[in-house]
Amino acid sequence: MYRLILSSAFLLFFGSQVLAAELTPDNIIGNYKVSARAGFMKVYLNFNVVSAQEFEIQRVYTSGRKDEVCKGKFDLNSHVFWDFDSLGAGKLFKGVFICPSKPDKPVDFNIDFKDKTTEDLAKGTNVTVTSSLAPGRNIQAHVKKH
């Protein structure tokens, strides 16, 4: 019985450490639901990180209609940020995507994850997005891994 309890505690401790890992290009692979408010408009996206360098993005409307799937490439870089309370290190997702209907119009964007972990993405978390679609604006978005 003692071994079972000890084994369970060991698995829980180390399992939770893996779940709360620092973000890397490999451990962010997966499907995400994103919602953001851009001015008076609420935008919903399916965001799929398919490899350590590539992703797909698709706008979804509340009616269930979906736009085309656009494909892109990304880098996940470390950066330093100021959080009013302290100086910290975080992750910045820098992506560029192209939609099939507009192959000559690449869209670039950044997602500032700050110090978020894989556990934060699994629970759902708020991030800051900047994009060439809305120059000079910081867009608050909610990201949740599915």
Side-chain angles (χ1 to χ4, degrees), residues 113-132:
F113 285 111
K114 292 198 176 174
D115 58 353
K116 305 296 186 203
T117 64
T118 54
E119 182 178 19
D120 295 322
L121 294 178
K123 290 179 183 176
T125 190
N126 294 321
V127 297
T128 303
V129 178
T130 55
S131 172
S132 61

Side-chain angles (χ1 to χ4, degrees), residues 45-81:
L45 303 168
N46 288 331
F47 190 74
N48 183 20
V49 180
V50 295
S51 74
Q53 299 170 337
E54 298 177 78
F55 67 93
E56 299 173 337
I57 191 166
Q58 178 184 44
R59 185 169 179 188
V60 179
Y61 297 88
T62 53
S63 66
R65 183 174 68 92
K66 297 177 182 178
D67 281 350
E68 64 189 329
V69 175
C70 303
K71 297 180 185 266
K73 296 194 177 288
F74 75 93
D75 288 316
L76 189 64
N77 303 314
S78 295
H79 73 101
V80 177
F81 66 91

Side-chain angles (χ1 to χ4, degrees), residues 75-121:
D75 288 316
L76 189 64
N77 303 314
S78 295
H79 73 101
V80 177
F81 66 91
W82 179 260
D83 190 359
F84 293 110
D85 296 328
S86 64
L87 189 62
K91 295 291 183 169
L92 187 66
F93 181 106
K94 297 179 79 57
V96 176
F97 66 87
I98 296 174
C99 296
S101 64
K102 298 178 184 174
D104 58 335
K105 302 257 186 201
V107 176
D108 65 288
F109 67 100
N110 299 324
I111 303 172
D112 189 352
F113 285 111
K114 292 198 176 174
D115 58 353
K116 305 296 186 203
T117 64
T118 54
E119 182 178 19
D120 295 322
L121 294 178

